[in-house]
Amino acid sequence: MYANHEYSRFHESYYVHPCSIVPEKDVVFTDIVGNGFLVQVKRWWHDLFLLSFSSVRSRGFYNSSHAMRIERFRQYRKYRSRIHPMSKFSYFWNCVIVFAVLLTKILFRFTSSILFEVPLAVYCFAAALEFIIIIDIVINMMTGFINMQIKRVVLNTKKGLIHYCSTKLFLHMMSAIPMHWLMFIKYGQGITCGLCKCNKFIAVIKILNVFSLYRVFETTLFWTWRRSPGATHLFKFLRIATVGLVTMTQFYDVVDVVWMLTVLHDQKLDESSFVSMLIVVRYGIVRNVPSYMVLCYDISRIFKSFFLFSFGLKRNSGFIWDKISSVIAYLIANTFYAWTILECYSMISRQVYPKEQLMNSIVFLNDLLASRQICDRLKFKIDRYFEFKSSRLKLFKTQNGLYKSLPDSLKKEITLSCYSRLIMKIHRLFTEWPMDLIEELALLLKPEMYLSNDIVAEAWTPGQGLMIVDVGVLAVYTVNYEETGHLIDGDYFGEISLVTDKEVRMSYVVAVTSCRILILDKLIFRNYMRKYPEIFYDLKRKLYIRNERLMKLKRLGTLLESRINEQAEETGTSKAPEAGAGESSV
């Protein structure tokens, strides 16, 4: 059958499989026909806005590649004007908007300050970035949203607009106020003047700029969407550092506003305040200092709160708000340090504790195998079992004290969250069933592990029940050991055995890679369905009808094959029928 080396480096992914047999075509190939250059461009354009097979977020919402293809069909044919939140375009736009928001925040710190005279080109560049942030509001209105309560993506236009307007629109509008455009309208060509910005107009737009902190917190969440746990933790630390620096910068912008309003109210400059000292240094009343030195002094005010000690200008400030701001900045810094400590604990718990449990289990098992003098072939198979990710998860659940201490009701909710949607989507017969019945069936599923080249199901034997592929790739063989298809995550077989014992399997099913199979035992299923006899017999009738239809198609295919062979013998030629590429019925 399959050799080990063919899939030795197979990545255990829900959506990327090295299968040579593709059961279905994608919607961009079925609905956009042709092979010309313009057709390829059209396919590429529509594929940008459809659900992406490579999205790292889609695993929690779609159980299989088949489910993702169905979602792409639904979106293209019903919601073509909408943008999927897990599309390639959404990923690209998230990259653009996160840097646009951060750069705008950084530039506004200098363009609105009275300490710096920034070139006109910087103001133009910042205004262009603000235009991108305004466009983002339109993009969000055209993008579907994720309903986290039911774990579904909603693409309906009306529901999407209602959700966006009721949750994020106000904050996005306030964050998208074009500050630099307003400054251009106010100052014109004199926008580069620093001292001209000591007025209430600048104080107002600095206060309004506080709303953009929400966009910084929201957009940087995009950095944590990574496949690798190590990369995820790295970007989480990067996000904490970025949000912390931007928050501290925004806080000192508010401090400068208080200083500015105090000066305008008292009509005099308190030289004991930090900003007043920088103005004296910057504009040469004491001595003419380069702009980069003033920049260093200004940045030192931000970083000294995180370093928990003072450096830079040494002074005894008599300005009361400078003392209050130092205490508040210290509390803000400690808040982000606490966030960092929690993230460190999460990373250590995720990386070290499971690995330690796994290594202890491997050492214990190896000692046991050595004492029992088990053959090397079996030892190699056990090593492959420990390398399988699902095996590690099972080991962690059985040995982790925290998981064991969870109440049964919470464990039940975890199981329902994992398996309920899988049952609803594996077959159209179950989609009409009551939700409480679907949840009860999900609790009856039992996971089983199979390693590569293991026989999952044998021909000429009765089926155990419904078998659902959760992770991995299975190959389907005829009784003559001819490969007829592949089964991947979300696919299923053996459903006919739920309602009868007369049928036997007509194919072999062999694991190509290490697999995790969810089994709904037929005896347990029948005992449970005694409470719902009408639903059970309706399922039995539909499965019989479908099975008879499949058998007729199979007999028709056999008859056509024999006719082709007879004609080939009459003409003196031998022509073998071509193997169709499609998902076989097991």
Side-chain angles (χ1 to χ4, degrees):
M1 294 184 182
Y2 269 93
N4 289 332
H5 63 83
E6 293 185 19
Y7 293 95
S8 59
R9 298 183 63 83
F10 177 78
H11 178 65
E12 294 172 2
S13 169
Y14 260 53
Y15 308 123
V16 182
H17 299 281
C19 299
S20 58
I21 298 177
V22 181
E24 297 177 7
K25 286 187 177 181
D26 192 64
V27 66
V28 295
F29 292 98
T30 58
D31 290 21
I32 306 176
V33 295
N35 295 314
F37 174 74
L38 294 179
V39 173
Q40 297 296 332
V41 172
K42 188 176 180 181
R43 286 173 180 167
W44 169 81
W45 175 256
H46 285 287
D47 183 64
L48 282 179
F49 305 102
L50 297 177
L51 168 65
S52 174
F53 286 103
S54 59
S55 173
V56 298
R57 305 173 65 196
S58 58
R59 181 168 182 170
F61 299 88
Y62 303 98
N63 298 307
S64 66
S65 305
H66 174 74
M68 298 183 74
R69 278 192 293 270
I70 295 299
E71 176 69 9
R72 285 168 64 90
F73 267 95
R74 186 176 73 95
Q75 181 186 354
Y76 184 81
R77 294 182 177 179
K78 191 175 181 180
Y79 304 107
R80 192 179 306 181
S81 61
R82 305 288 288 169
I83 302 173
H84 201 284
M86 301 173 192
S87 62
K88 295 177 182 178
F89 175 81
S90 295
Y91 182 87
F92 162 77
W93 187 253
N94 285 328
C95 293
V96 172
I97 198 64
V98 66
F99 288 108
V101 170
L102 290 176
L103 283 176
T104 303
K105 290 290 293 183
I106 294 172
L107 294 177
F108 184 77
R109 169 66 180 171
F110 302 109
T111 56
S112 62
S113 175
I114 64 176
L115 298 174
F116 307 101
E117 294 183 354
V118 183
L120 184 62
V122 177
Y123 288 91
C124 296
F125 179 66
L129 293 176
E130 289 177 341
F131 181 71
I132 294 176
I133 297 174
I134 294 174
I135 295 177
D136 180 62
I137 297 178
V138 181
I139 298 297
N140 278 281
M141 288 183 176
M142 299 174 61
T143 304
F145 71 95
I146 299 174
N147 191 328
M148 297 303 298
Q149 294 181 348
I150 60 176
K151 280 286 186 177
R152 288 184 181 177
V153 177
V154 180
L155 295 175
N156 183 274
T157 303
K158 182 179 179 180
K159 291 181 179 179
L161 289 176
I162 293 174
H163 177 268
Y164 182 65
C165 293
S166 61
T167 54
K168 300 180 180 179
L169 181 61
F170 174 76
L171 292 173
H172 282 194
M173 291 288 290
M174 296 300 296
S175 302
I177 295 177
M179 308 295 183
H180 293 90
W181 293 11
L182 296 176
M183 292 168 65
F184 270 117
I185 295 174
K186 172 72 175 179
Y187 298 105
Q189 294 294 327
I191 195 173
T192 58
C193 176
L195 286 176
C196 298
K197 294 167 186 168
C198 185
N199 52 56
K200 293 182 179 179
F201 170 76
I202 295 296
V204 170
I205 65 173
K206 280 193 173 185
I207 292 176
L208 291 176
N209 190 249
V210 174
F211 287 96
S212 60
L213 268 180
Y214 170 77
R215 294 309 310 274
V216 174
F217 184 84
E218 179 190 42
T219 55
T220 52
L221 184 63
F222 161 74
W223 289 346
T224 62
W225 299 340
R226 296 292 183 271
R227 290 188 184 276
S228 169
T232 300
H233 286 294
L234 175 62
F235 278 94
K236 282 184 178 180
F237 287 122
L238 177 62
R239 183 183 180 225
I240 294 173
T242 303
V243 174
L245 288 175
V246 173
T247 302
M248 195 66 72
T249 302
Q250 184 66 67
F251 170 72
Y252 278 111
D253 265 348
V254 176
V255 173
D256 293 346
V257 168
V258 174
W259 172 87
M260 186 186 306
L261 295 177
T262 304
V263 171
L264 294 175
H265 179 268
D266 297 338
Q267 295 297 315
K268 67 175 183 178
L269 187 67
D270 187 354
E271 296 185 359
S272 64
S273 67
F274 186 86
V275 180
S276 301
M277 294 181 67
L278 288 181
I279 291 176
V280 171
V281 173
R282 172 69 180 87
Y283 291 101
I285 298 176
V286 176
R287 56 191 177 94
N288 195 9
V289 177
S291 298
Y292 74 89
M293 291 295 297
V294 180
L295 176 63
C296 292
Y297 291 142
D298 188 48
I299 293 177
S300 69
R301 181 171 54 157
I302 298 172
F303 278 93
K304 72 177 183 180
S305 300
F306 286 103
F307 294 151
L308 306 183
F309 62 88
S310 180
F311 58 88
L313 290 176
K314 304 297 182 181
R315 74 196 193 290
N316 293 321
S317 176
F319 190 53
I320 186 62
W321 184 242
D322 280 351
K323 297 179 180 179
I324 296 176
S325 63
S326 297
V327 176
I328 297 176
Y330 177 78
L331 295 176
I332 294 174
N334 279 275
T335 300
F336 284 96
Y337 279 130
W339 187 4
T340 305
I341 292 173
L342 291 176
E343 190 57 43
C344 289
Y345 176 78
S346 174
M347 181 185 66
I348 294 173
S349 299
R350 182 184 179 94
Q351 298 292 334
V352 177
Y353 185 59
K355 289 184 178 179
E356 183 180 354
Q357 285 186 320
L358 182 64
M359 290 304 300
N360 291 336
S361 299
I362 293 175
V363 171
F364 175 78
L365 186 59
N366 286 335
D367 292 341
L368 179 63
L369 294 176
S371 63
R372 297 293 183 179
Q373 297 183 354
I374 303 297
C375 63
D376 294 336
R377 183 184 62 82
L378 184 57
K379 183 179 181 301
F380 174 72
K381 197 168 184 178
I382 294 175
D383 291 338
R384 283 191 298 162
Y385 172 80
F386 280 112
E387 292 173 359
F388 188 33
K389 292 181 180 179
S390 296
S391 303
R392 299 182 182 184
L393 179 61
K394 182 179 180 181
L395 179 67
F396 180 75
K397 289 172 61 177
T398 54
Q399 294 189 358
N400 184 266
L402 178 60
Y403 182 83
K404 288 182 177 180
S405 63
L406 292 177
D408 293 337
S409 59
L410 185 55
K411 292 180 181 179
K412 180 179 178 180
E413 289 185 14
I414 295 174
T415 304
L416 290 176
S417 176
C418 294
Y419 298 153
S420 294
R421 289 176 291 107
L422 183 61
I423 291 183
M424 292 179 65
K425 295 177 181 179
I426 60 173
H427 199 283
R428 60 183 178 84
L429 300 177
F430 292 149
T431 57
E432 301 176 358
W433 288 22
M435 191 60 198
D436 56 346
L437 178 55
I438 295 292
E439 293 179 351
E440 292 295 334
L441 291 181
L443 297 176
L444 299 178
L445 292 174
K446 301 298 181 184
E448 291 289 342
M449 307 292 181
Y450 293 92
L451 303 179
S452 58
N453 290 333
D454 282 352
I455 298 179
V456 180
E458 291 190 69
W460 309 116
T461 59
Q464 297 176 251
L466 176 63
M467 307 186 77
I468 308 169
V469 184
D470 189 25
V471 177
V473 182
L474 304 177
V476 182
Y477 294 89
T478 65
V479 292
N480 298 323
Y481 303 106
E482 296 177 355
E483 182 183 350
T484 59
H486 285 174
L487 300 174
I488 61 176
D489 44 79
D491 292 330
Y492 60 94
F493 59 96
E495 68 276 9
I496 193 67
S497 63
L498 293 175
V499 296
T500 182
D501 288 324
K502 297 179 181 179
E503 297 291 332
V504 294
R505 295 191 179 102
M506 302 300 294
S507 304
Y508 289 95
V509 180
V510 182
V512 177
T513 65
S514 297
C515 300
R516 186 170 184 262
I517 309 296
L518 303 176
I519 302 176
L520 179 60
D521 188 85
K522 60 183 181 182
L523 298 180
I524 297 177
F525 174 78
R526 292 173 194 171
N527 288 333
Y528 180 76
M529 291 303 293
R530 288 178 179 176
K531 297 184 293 183
Y532 308 95
E534 295 181 358
I535 297 178
F536 177 79
Y537 286 114
D538 182 65
L539 173 66
K540 185 175 182 178
R541 179 183 59 82
K542 291 180 178 180
L543 286 177
Y544 276 174
I545 294 174
R546 195 195 66 160
N547 191 53
E548 290 177 0
R549 187 183 302 116
L550 291 175
M551 294 302 294
K552 289 180 180 179
L553 291 175
K554 187 175 181 180
R555 286 194 294 268
L556 180 60
T558 304
L559 180 61
L560 290 175
E561 181 180 348
S562 62
R563 291 285 179 85
I564 292 173
N565 292 332
E566 290 176 1
Q567 292 179 1
E569 291 177 359
E570 291 176 0
T571 57
T573 60
S574 59
K575 181 180 179 180
E578 295 181 357
E583 183 181 355
S584 63
S585 175
V586 182

